[in-house]
Amino acid sequence: MPSQAPLLLRHHRPFIAFWLARIFTASGFQMLTVAIGWNLYQLTGNVLDLGLVGLVEFAPRVLFMLHTGHVADRYDRRKVAAICQSLQAMIALALVVGSATDNVTREMIFILAFLLGAARSFEMPTTQALLPSIVPAALFPRAVAAAQSAQQSATIVAPALGGLLYAFGSVWVYGPTVLLYIIACCLMLNLPARQTPLNKGKATLDSLLAGIRFIRSRQDILGAISLDLFAVLLGGATALLPVFAKDILLTGPWGLGLLRSAPAVGALLMSLWLARFAVERKVGRVMFTAVGIFGVATIAFGLSTSFWFSLAVLVVLGAADMISMVIRASFVQLETPDEMRGRVSAVNGLFIGASNQLGEFESGLTAHWFGTVPAVVMGGIGTLLVTGTWIKLFPTLANRDRMHEPVEEAKA
């Protein structure tokens, strides 16, 4: 990339608006996640409930997967994203009212978690498909890394802020998130209108399944996103952070906020590095190495009884995960025609959601069966086993040299 590319990106006003919207939505979601997790654990004291919240939030991704992509391709993506952010503001407002009147219950949290998952299931593929139309193609890989830096910056500050504010009462966490989502909604509506024609076709089964067929036809893309699915599904331990904070590391809400922020610190540092120095050679080897490091860091976190060492390994974990995330996002978006980016992003979003929300359920379930520490350690070992297996199943991905090789092959 030319040396002036980062400067051009910083002066690209639509991207700046998009970048700020990502900060506000990510901040709102992270603050909600911290408050809901701690609130629920206080109400029930049941570790399985923490996993069930992740499952409930993930369910809409499966239920609406095919329709979310079609909506993103057929309607104005700015308005779809804004509607989703407005719904999330209403969810936060409901929690404000419930906390102020002391009426937040386990059932209420599960219902709102489902609605939150539904809004995010439409928002994610829409915003992912929106980014390539905002920046020039030459700047897109750096734009992906920069957009992730916005996400991770918010993930660093918001959980810690949420944990600190929770000490004054849950309403002090839920209240500011309403404003954050409203600001994000306004920024999204001010983005430039879509330049390519909208997809006017009806939502036929063949149209809805187009994204799945496209991913299956690109083995490197399939390998990359499925690797992320199974590696993070097994290795993710974020749902158990309230348990580690309270029962193992012996800290409080502020400590939980720092633990949730730690992976984002590593991810932010790595995203800033990738925005300046993009991965250009030995892409496959870099990605598989990063996933392996993710697994080792997960094991180290599970065995740790030191708060500060736990923070350090979570930083390493977040940095390793960011490498895989940026490579995967560049694969998917650059190789997908704009008229079907929404549908492909919806399928990719299902993989991402499965690796996170479904991974939270897996962590809660295994912790319920085997104990918190064994569950995390077994998950890290599982990630290493998946990495080795995927190297055998997808040899072209493992031996891949350059990011743009699939494009050249497609043209050949």
Side-chain angles (χ1 to χ4, degrees), residues 211-224:
I212 296 176
R213 291 198 303 271
F214 180 86
I215 291 176
R216 289 185 60 187
S217 69
R218 302 293 195 277
Q219 283 297 302
D220 283 358
I221 294 178
L222 176 62

Side-chain angles (χ1 to χ4, degrees), residues 305-322:
T305 57
S306 166
F307 177 75
W308 298 110
F309 180 76
S310 296
L311 284 178
V313 295
L314 286 175
V315 169
V316 174
L317 182 149
D321 187 45
M322 176 55 62

Side-chain angles (χ1 to χ4, degrees), residues 19 25 36 41-42 45 68-69 77 79 96 102 131 147 155-156 205 215-216 245 248 293 296 301 378 380 386 399:
W19 190 84
T25 54
I36 287 174
Y41 195 53
Q42 279 187 324
T68 57
R77 290 168 181 163
K79 295 179 180 179
V96 170
D102 198 23
L131 181 57
T155 307
I156 292 169
L205 182 60
I215 291 176
R216 289 185 60 187
I248 297 176
I293 293 173
V296 173
F301 174 76
M378 288 188 297
V386 166
N399 297 319

Side-chain angles (χ1 to χ4, degrees), residues 124-147:
M124 180 177 290
T126 301
T127 54
Q128 286 180 347
L130 187 61
L131 181 57
S133 64
I134 292 176
V135 298
L139 290 177
F140 183 72
R142 296 180 187 270
V144 171

